[in-house]
Amino acid sequence: GAGVSQSPSNKVTEKGKDVELRCDPISGHTALYWYRQSLGQGLEFLIYFQGNSAPDKSGLPSDRFSAERTGGSVSTLTIQRTQQEDSAVYLCASSSGQRSLGANVLTFGAGSRLTVL
Amino acid sequence: SQQGEEDPQALSIQEGENATMNCSYKTSINNLQWYRQNSGRGLVHLILIRSNEREKHSGRLRVTLDTSKKSSSLLITASRAADTASYFCATYHQGAQKLVFGQGTRLTINP
């Protein structure tokens, strides 16, 4: 696609429920990132996918969080048994992943705003 | 933490004035980037400066990088109301595969 697409744009859920957030990266981009941003804060790295390599999961805050990337394209971030502190905007970004000047310039989606009641 | 830190956290100036935001980081980098965010949603890439560069320009934006001090600055000249946004620096560290973002500077341009 022309840009990074995220869905849903807004999600309200009850504490304890599971949620899935989806990201469609730019076609051909091999690198995909998930970040979390709490209100008025910076971006917190969650997970990074690059091609067929094992993902860098070092930023996932707990084992309730998981992500997968199917076929090297679409990614789903899953949060199990949601807690109120999970409320944030979840941002997905992709990059070409190639060795060039612009290799790690990220194109962001508009984000998914999650509210856990 | 490898995270960059922006300074100031918030900046409010009059339209037409110049805005300067600073970023410091802790470990050696391959490049440093600045992003802009409107309304708490997606970020937009503004400019990238490599570790062997000292200054870069793009329109009204000027970025400097001092690797000896592990710091960078973003200057927006002749500011406009539409420049109101949050600005983040992000660093790509040697040996790492991910961009690490700072906490951002909230810039308000008053008409």
Side-chain angles (χ1 to χ4, degrees):
Chain A
V4 178
S5 178
Q6 291 189 245
S7 61
S9 56
N10 285 285
K11 175 73 176 179
V12 180
T13 190
E14 294 179 348
K15 178 181 173 180
K17 301 285 189 182
D18 297 351
V19 296
E20 284 190 351
L21 307 176
R22 176 188 167 103
C23 174
D24 266 294
I26 290 175
S27 179
H29 276 191
T30 60
L32 186 147
Y33 300 75
W34 282 98
Y35 290 89
R36 177 170 73 173
Q37 186 177 32
S38 300
L39 186 63
Q41 300 298 310
L43 274 70
E44 175 189 5
F45 168 78
L46 297 178
I47 189 168
Y48 162 71
F49 296 90
Q50 171 58 59
N52 295 319
S53 302
D56 178 348
K57 304 179 181 181
S58 60
L60 294 179
S62 77
D63 58 7
R64 295 187 295 104
F65 288 74
S66 63
E68 62 178 19
R69 189 179 185 191
T70 55
S73 180
V74 172
S75 177
T76 301
L77 176 68
T78 301
I79 308 173
Q80 295 178 311
R81 304 180 302 282
T82 52
Q83 304 294 313
Q84 288 183 332
E85 59 263 29
D86 299 335
S87 295
V89 175
Y90 289 81
L91 293 162
C92 176
S94 69
S95 73
S96 66
Q98 300 300 315
R99 287 184 175 273
S100 67
L101 175 64
N104 45 40
V105 169
L106 303 187
T107 300
F108 280 83
S112 294
R113 184 180 300 279
L114 174 66
T115 302
V116 182
L117 302 178
Chain B
S1 168
Q2 295 178 327
Q3 192 173 46
E5 295 183 2
E6 281 94 338
D7 168 55
Q9 291 187 343
L11 178 62
S12 181
I13 62 174
Q14 294 301 119
E15 194 168 20
E17 294 180 340
N18 296 339
T20 299
M21 290 159 274
N22 304 295
C23 169
S24 60
Y25 56 91
K26 296 182 180 179
T27 60
S28 296
I29 60 172
N30 285 332
N31 67 59
L32 184 145
Q33 304 176 35
W34 286 90
Y35 287 78
R36 166 191 167 129
Q37 183 180 40
N38 289 89
S39 305
R41 301 307 284 252
L43 281 73
V44 175
H45 176 260
L46 294 176
I47 196 165
L48 178 152
I49 186 165
R50 287 184 288 186
S51 59
N52 62 352
E53 297 177 314
R54 293 296 168 259
E55 187 171 313
K56 204 159 183 182
H57 296 256
S58 177
R60 294 184 295 113
L61 304 181
R62 173 180 170 244
V63 170
T64 61
L65 179 64
D66 186 335
T67 53
S68 66
K69 296 181 179 178
K70 292 186 170 59
S71 67
S72 173
S73 67
L74 171 67
L75 169 68
I76 303 175
T77 60
S79 63
R80 306 166 182 170
D83 295 329
T84 295
S86 290
Y87 292 82
F88 293 87
C89 71
T91 46
Y92 191 70
H93 296 268
Q94 293 177 359
Q97 297 296 323
K98 57 183 181 278
L99 272 179
V100 178
F101 285 80
Q103 294 297 307
T105 294
R106 292 186 303 280
L107 175 65
T108 302
I109 308 299
N110 302 304

